[in-house]
Amino acid sequence: MVDIKVLISCIPLFPLLGFLVIGLNVHKLSHKTSSYVACGSVLISFFLSIIVFAELLGLPPDQRSLNVTILRWISTMGFSSNIAFLVDPLSSVMLLVITGVGFLIHVYSIGYMHDDAGFSRFFSYLNLFIFFMLLLVLGSNYLLMFVGWEGVGLCSYLLIGFWFKNHDYNKAANKAFIMNRIGDLGLLLGVILIFINFGSIDYEMVFASASSVNVTTLTWITVLLFIGAMGKSAQIPLYTWLPDAMAGPTPVSALIHAATMVTAGVYMVARNNILYSLSPVALQLVLVVGLCTALFAATIALMQNDIKKVLAYSTVSQLGLMFVALGLGAYASGIFHMATHAFFKALLFLGAGSVIHALQGEQDIRRMGGLKKYLPVTYMTFFIAVLAISGIPPFAGFFSKDEILAHAFAQNPLVWGIALLASLLTVFYMFRLFFLTFFGNARAGEGIMHHIHESPKSMAVPLIVLAILSFIGGFMNVPGALGGSTWLADYLSPAFHSDFAGEHHLDHTTEYMLMASVVGLTVIVIAVAYLNFVKKKKVPLEDGQLRGAASMVYHKYYVDEIYDRTVVRPLHWFARIADDVIEKLALDRLINSVGQLITGSSNVLRKVQNGSIGFYIFVMVLSIIVILTLTTVAEL
Amino acid sequence: MMTIFLIFWPLVIALGIFAFKPANAKLVAFVSALVELAVCLFMFVGFDSRNATAWNYQIPWVPSLGINFSVGMDGISFLLVLLTTGLMPFIILSSFKTPNQKPADFYALMLLMQMALVGVFTALDGFLFYVFWEMALIPIYFICLIWGDENRAPVTFKFFVYTLAGSLFMLMALLYLYYQTPGAHTFDIQALYKAGRALSSAQQGVIFWGLFLAFAIKMPVFPFHTWQPDTYTVAPMEGTMLLSGIMLKMGFYGLIRWLLPVVPLGVHEWALTAVVLSVIGIVYASIIAINQKDFKRLIAYASIAHVGLISAGVLTSSKIGLQGALIQMLSHGILAFALFYICEIISTRASTRTISSLGGIRVGAPILTTVFVVVILGTVALPFTSGFVGEFLLLNALFQYNYILGALGGLTIILGAVYMLHAFQYMMLGKHSPQASRVSDLTRHEKIVLYPIVILIFMIGIYPDPLLQISEVAVADLLEGFSNFSAKVK
C-alpha cells in the first residue's frame, strides 16, 4: 500500500504534469491526445481524492488531519513558509468538488471546444487552473494558499482573454486580474499581520494561539483577509469583474467563475472560522456584505437578457448567500451551499453553453425561445438545475438554502427577510430565463433554427451527471426536522471550532412553518413567471426602450460607469499630470537648477556641456588633489 | 585569491581582447564571462557562510595614507558578485546579433565594467570602494555615448554629471570619516564603522545624507530619478541592461555595506524620511508608467517603482527587509535583462517601440509571447516566480516598519498589474497590426538566451532557499554589529 502522504502530494501533481505536457507541446499534440491527457490527469486526481477521503473517514474524527511537507520554500530570519499540504475534512470536501466537477467540465469542453484553433492551449490552461485551485485548498499555511489564490487568478485572466484577438475580451481579462489584485493586497497584508502577531503563518500554529491575540488585532486581520474574499468571490464593492468575465468560453464560466474559483473566498473564511468567530465585528461585516450582495446582484439579474450575464449575477448573489451563512457563524451551511451550488450552477452554465452552441453563438434570450423540443437533454437537465437553485424540495438547493434561512431566522428575522427576498428574486429570474429560452415561440433566425441540433455525447453526459448531483446532492445534509442526518455538518465539525457549527436553536414546528412558507412563496413566484412568460408570452423590451428604474437596473445601476469616473479616469488623469507637469516641468527643472547651483554657475555648465569628454578626468584629478591637499593639511 | 581572480580576470581579457580579430571579440568576451561565472559557481558550491573571511585578501596600496587593497566576500557580497557574473554572459550573448562597428572597444568596455562592479561589491577599504565606484561610471558612459540612440549626447551627459555629483558627496563623507579614524588614519572598513558610530547624532545625520545622496541617485530613488528614464531610453540595449540589471544594485549595496553600519544614529534619525521618499517613488513611478507610450520608457519607470520598494526594505534595517532586498536584487536583475531584451527584439523587428502602433504580435510569435508572459508574471510578482519572494519579504518588512507605508508600498502589486497588462494587451494581443506582422517568432539564438532566464525565474520563485541561506548569516552579523548602537537611543 502506497503511503497516504504520497497520494496527497500526487493530487495536485497530476494536473501540473498535464499542464506541462500539453503546454510544452501545444502545437505538436493532436486534439485527441491533449484532451485525454487533460481529462485523465484530473480524473486521476479525483480518484486520489476519493481514496484520501476514504482514508480520512476511517480515522476517528479528532484525528482527521494529515500533514505533508514537500519543500522548504521561503524561510529566513524567523519567517518560515513551506510547500506543505493539509488534508482535513474541509479540504477533503473541497478536493472532491474541485476534481469531480472539474473533471466533468473537462469532458464537456472536448465537445464544446472541438473546432477551436486553441484547443490544446485551452486544456493546458484548464489543467493549470486545477493545479492552482488544489494548492489553494491543500496549502497548510497562508502563503501557500496565497500562491493558489493568485495562481487561479492568473488562469482566470488567461481564460477570460482566451480569444485574444478581441480587445473587449482582453479588457475583461485585465479588469478581472486587476480587481482581484486589489483584494489580493488586502489578503497579503492580512497574512503579514498574522505573521507579525503570531510569529507563524501555519494554520495549526495560528489557530492554536488564536485566543491569545487581542480582538482589535484579530478584527484587522480578518477584515484584511475578507478584502481578499471580496475580490475573489465577487462581493460588493469588488464584484463588477465577474459579469465581464463571461467573455471567456462557457466551460470556463462554469468551472472557474461559478463552481470553484469564486468560492475560494468562502473556503478562506471557513478555514479561518476560529479567527472570525473571535471577532464579532468581522463576522458582522461578512454578514452585511454578503446580504447586500445577495440582494443587489439578484435585482440586476432580473433585467439582464444575456443568458450568461443572468447566470453571472446569479452567481454573485448566491455567493453573497454563502457569506451570509458564514457571517452567521454557520460555517458548515456555507460550505454545504458551496457544494450544491457547484453542482447546479455548473449545470446551468453548461446547459447555457449547450444552448449557445446549438444557436451558433447566440446569447440573447430575446432571440431564443421554444428550444424545448430541439434540445431535450439540455432542456431536462436545465430544468432540474432551475428547480435546484430555486429551492424546490427535494432538489439540492432546497436543503442548503433552507439551512441558511433557518440560521438567519434563529438569529435575526430581518436577515431572514432580506435573504428570503433575494431567494425569491432568484426564483423569478431563473424561471424567466428558463421560460424565455425553452418555451414560447422560437425567436431565433431561420438560418440558425435550420441547423439547430442537440449537443454531442461528451457534452450531454456531464449535463446528466450534474443533473443527478443537483437532484440528490442535498441529501448529504438533511435537517433533523425532516428526519434526515446532518452528515456533512458532522463530518466538517472538526474543522469548525464554533459553538454552533451545525445547530440552530429552532424547534421543529417553527422549522416546518418556515419551510412551508418559503416553498409556498416560491411556488407563487414561479406561477407569476409562468403567467408572464409562457401564458402571455412576454418578451423583454429591446435596448433603449426601457425607462426610469427599469433602465437603471438594466444598466446595472451604472456601477461600472461610477467606478470609471471615480477611479479609472482620475488615475489616468493623474498619470498624465504627473508625467507631463510634475515630472517634466517641475522635478526635472528643479533638479537641473540644483545641479547648476552645485556645479557653480550655469555658465561653467554650459561650457562643459559642449561635449567635452575630458570632464570626467578633470574631476578625477580634482578629487585626487582634494585628497592629497587634505592629507597634507592633516599631517601638518 | 579567488576574489582577486574575479576582479582582475575581466581586466586581463579587456586588455587582451585587442589582440584578437575584431570579429572574434564577442566570442572572446563571452568565453571570458563564462569562465568567470564558472569560477563563481564553483565558489557557490563551496560557500561556507560561517567562514566568510575565507576569501578576504589584503595588500597595502598607499601605506602612508592608510589605503589598502582590501577585498573580500561575505554572503551579501557574494550574491551581488553572483548576479554580476551570472548576468554578464547573458548580456554579452544577447548583443551577438547587433551590428557593431567597433566590437573590440565595445566588449573591452563591457569587461571593464564587470571588473569595476565586482570591485565595488567586494571592496573592504573606503578608498578602494570609491575608486571602483567611479571606475564603473567610465565604461558605461562611453557605451551609452558611442553606441546609444540619437539625442544621446545631452542625455548621457546629464546622467554622467548627475551621478558624479552624487559620488562627490559620498567622497566628502568618506573623507570626513577617514579623518575621524585614530592614529595615522585608515580607510579600513571596520575602522570607518567605528569612527562613524562614535560621532554625535547630528554629525551622523550629515554623513547619512552625504552617503544617501550618492546611493539614491544611483538606484535611483524619488526625487533623484530624473536622469534615469531618458538614459535608459537612449542607451543601447546592453547599456540599459548593465545599468538596470547590475549597476543600480551598487546603490543598494552601498546602503547595506557603507551606510547602515556606519552611521546607525543617522539612520535612526533619518531612515523614516528616506523610506517615505522610497514609497512615494513606488506609487509615483507606477502611476507615471501607466501613461507611457514607449515601452522602453515604461520599463524604466517600472524599474524606479521596484527600486523604491527595495530601498524602503533596506532602510527598515530589518533582517527580513535585507534578505528580501538581496533576493529581489537578483530577481530584478534577471527580469530587467529579459524585459529589455524582449523590448529590443520587438522594436528591432517592428521598427517601433510605441505601444499603440503594435498589436497582435501573438499571432505570429507565440513563443515570444509565452516568454514575455512569464517575464511579466515575474515583474508583477506572481507567487512561484522570482519576483514574489523578494517582494513578499520586502512588503513584510515595510509593513512591520509602518502599517501605512506598508499598505502604500503594497499598491505596487495593483499598479504593476495595471501598466504591465495594459502594455502587454496592446502590444501582443488583439488584431494583427501592420508593424506587428513584421515581428517573427524567437530565433534559435534568442531562445538560447531567454529559455535559461525563464527557468531561473521559476527556480528562484519555487526554490529560493539556497540563495536565502547564503546571505542569512552575513545579514544577521551585519545588523547585530550595530544594533546596540541604535538600541541605545530607543
Side-chain angles (χ1 to χ4, degrees), chain B residues 2 21 27 49 59 123 163 182 203 211 214 254 293-294 325 355 409 430 471:
Chain B
M2 299 288 249
K21 269 191 277 182
L27 209 61
S49 58
I59 47 164
T163 48
Q203 285 168 314
L211 295 169
K293 290 157 187 79
D294 176 342
I355 294 168
S471 53

Side-chain angles (χ1 to χ4, degrees), chain A residues 72-73 76-77 79 121 125 150 164 167 171 174 181 196 575-576 579 583 588 591 616 630-631, chain B residues 65 134 158 160 162 179 225 284 287 292 301 323 362 380 392 413 425-426 430 461-462 465 469 472:
Chain A
R72 238 168 89 109
W73 182 35
T76 182
M77 303 295 184
F79 177 85
R121 188 163 58 91
Y125 291 169
E150 287 249 287
F164 59 86
H167 268 321
K171 278 183 190 153
N174 286 358
R181 276 239 149 169
I196 294 174
R576 265 198 307 282
D579 195 9
E583 182 81 353
D588 208 24
I591 294 290
Y616 181 81
L630 287 171
T631 322
Chain B
L65 297 178
E134 295 294 32
K158 181 174 169 186
F160 186 79
Y162 208 145
Y179 284 111
H225 64 275
Y284 177 78
I287 288 179
Q292 296 312 307
Y301 276 104
Q323 282 288 73
R362 182 174 187 164
V380 302
F392 174 73
I413 76 167
Q425 181 193 334
Y426 286 99
I462 295 171
D465 207 42
Q469 299 255 317
E472 204 159 37

Side-chain angles (χ1 to χ4, degrees), chain B residues 302-314:
Chain B
S303 184
I304 298 177
H306 289 127
V307 159
L309 184 59
I310 304 180
S311 109
V314 170

Side-chain angles (χ1 to χ4, degrees), chain B residues 411-433:
Chain B
L411 289 177
T412 181
I413 76 167
I414 301 168
L415 296 171
V418 173
Y419 58 75
M420 272 299 169
L421 293 187
H422 182 266
F424 180 77
Q425 181 193 334
Y426 286 99
M427 290 168 71
M428 310 305 281
L429 308 179
K431 292 207 174 66
H432 223 38
S433 78

